[in-house]
Amino acid sequence: MAVEGSARVLKYLLFIFNLLFLLAGLALIIIGAVATAKLTPYSSVAGVHFNGVGVFLIVIGFVVFLISFFGCLGAYKENYCLLVVFIVLMVVTLLLLIAAVITAFVMRNQVTGWLTDGFSGMIKDYQYNATVKTPVTELWDNIQRDLDCCGSKSNTDWLANGILNKTYSTPDSCCKTEIPGCGKDQARPGSLGVYTDGCAAEVSKRVFSNVVAVGGAAVAIGILMLIGIIFASCLATAIRKDYGSV
């Protein structure tokens, strides 16, 4: 027996919303993939998998994509059991999404500390003028060039490197205009030839900006999910009443 009246309107509204959930799931997968690509280089520094945020969104995206199938099928078939499965899965997914956003918000202030400790521990492993660059050396050079920063907290941090401290030098990647040997005698306070802002704070800003973007997307999709849960609950109630009246 087909639903009529307002229940019929709910049926089509739920079907349309589930099509939006399909797109939302795809959006989460894309956002998660982009966030993972951007945050992966910084994970090894702090010993924390920042890219876990992106991976989590990819997983949630796939789950939302699959759950929307139950919603579409349940609405089209007017099947009470499928709608209940859809509602339960949506509630669980929404709770996981809320937990992830809260966790990211609570941990945001710890990121700079993790990065500072990680960077400080890696300074001694930097190999200046090495014929073959190690992963640590490449990571330092790439970050300092990309973010216009130097050292963990400042350019003077490079005095902790056994080779560079002999000439009060920084890596050339710290230089505002990079040429071979430009970092010589630039590890002193107030040096003008290199960037003096620490990389820990700059990377923290980059991580936080990505987390904020991801959090915003998660909140928007969470609102859509909540509306879908309400519509599905109303439709399931109407279907149950129709079955009961037969």
Side-chain angles (χ1 to χ4, degrees):
M1 179 178 176
V3 293
E4 301 293 340
S6 60
R8 190 174 183 83
V9 175
L10 280 173
K11 169 184 173 177
Y12 290 115
L13 282 175
L14 182 60
F15 191 83
I16 292 171
F17 262 94
N18 275 287
L19 292 179
L20 292 177
F21 290 146
L22 280 171
L23 296 176
L26 288 174
L28 278 175
I29 293 170
I30 293 171
I31 293 171
V34 171
T36 299
K38 287 185 176 182
L39 297 178
T40 295
Y42 307 134
S43 296
S44 59
V45 178
V48 177
H49 294 293
F50 296 126
N51 54 353
V53 176
V55 172
F56 180 80
L57 280 183
I58 292 173
V59 172
I60 291 293
F62 275 115
V63 171
V64 169
F65 190 86
L66 292 174
I67 289 176
S68 63
F69 169 77
F70 287 99
C72 285
L73 190 60
Y76 179 74
K77 294 288 188 180
E78 297 177 13
N79 187 295
Y80 176 78
C81 292
L82 281 176
L83 287 174
V84 170
V85 171
F86 168 75
I87 293 167
V88 171
L89 291 176
M90 286 287 278
V91 168
V92 172
T93 304
L94 181 59
L95 291 175
L96 288 174
L97 205 55
I98 292 171
V101 171
I102 292 174
T103 300
F105 180 78
V106 170
M107 294 175 65
R108 73 191 189 285
N109 292 327
Q110 301 178 42
V111 172
T112 302
W114 291 334
L115 288 167
T116 299
D117 293 341
F119 274 126
S120 298
M122 291 167 61
I123 282 178
K124 64 180 183 298
D125 297 324
Y126 184 92
Q127 296 182 7
Y128 184 67
N129 280 342
T131 304
V132 179
K133 289 188 176 182
T134 64
V136 170
T137 301
E138 285 189 353
L139 179 63
W140 264 118
D141 286 341
N142 290 336
I143 289 176
Q144 291 181 149
R145 289 190 186 111
D146 292 345
L147 302 183
D148 294 339
C149 58
C150 189
S152 178
K153 294 181 179 179
S154 73
N155 60 313
T156 60
D157 292 335
W158 286 107
L159 294 175
N161 180 276
I163 297 175
L164 292 171
N165 67 359
K166 296 176 182 178
T167 55
Y168 281 81
S169 299
T170 68
D172 293 342
S173 55
C174 282
C175 296
K176 295 177 181 178
T177 301
E178 186 176 348
I179 57 175
C182 62
K184 186 176 181 180
D185 201 38
Q186 294 295 312
R188 302 177 188 276
S191 295
L192 299 177
V194 295
Y195 295 102
T196 55
D197 292 333
C199 292
E202 295 302 317
V203 172
S204 180
K205 291 176 186 176
R206 180 71 63 89
V207 171
F208 186 67
S209 66
N210 280 280
V211 169
V212 169
V214 168
V219 170
I221 291 171
I223 293 172
L224 271 179
M225 293 175 70
L226 183 60
I227 294 173
I229 290 169
I230 293 171
F231 281 177
S233 299
C234 293
L235 180 58
T237 301
I239 291 172
R240 190 172 186 180
K241 285 182 178 179
D242 282 350
Y243 284 158
S245 62
V246 175

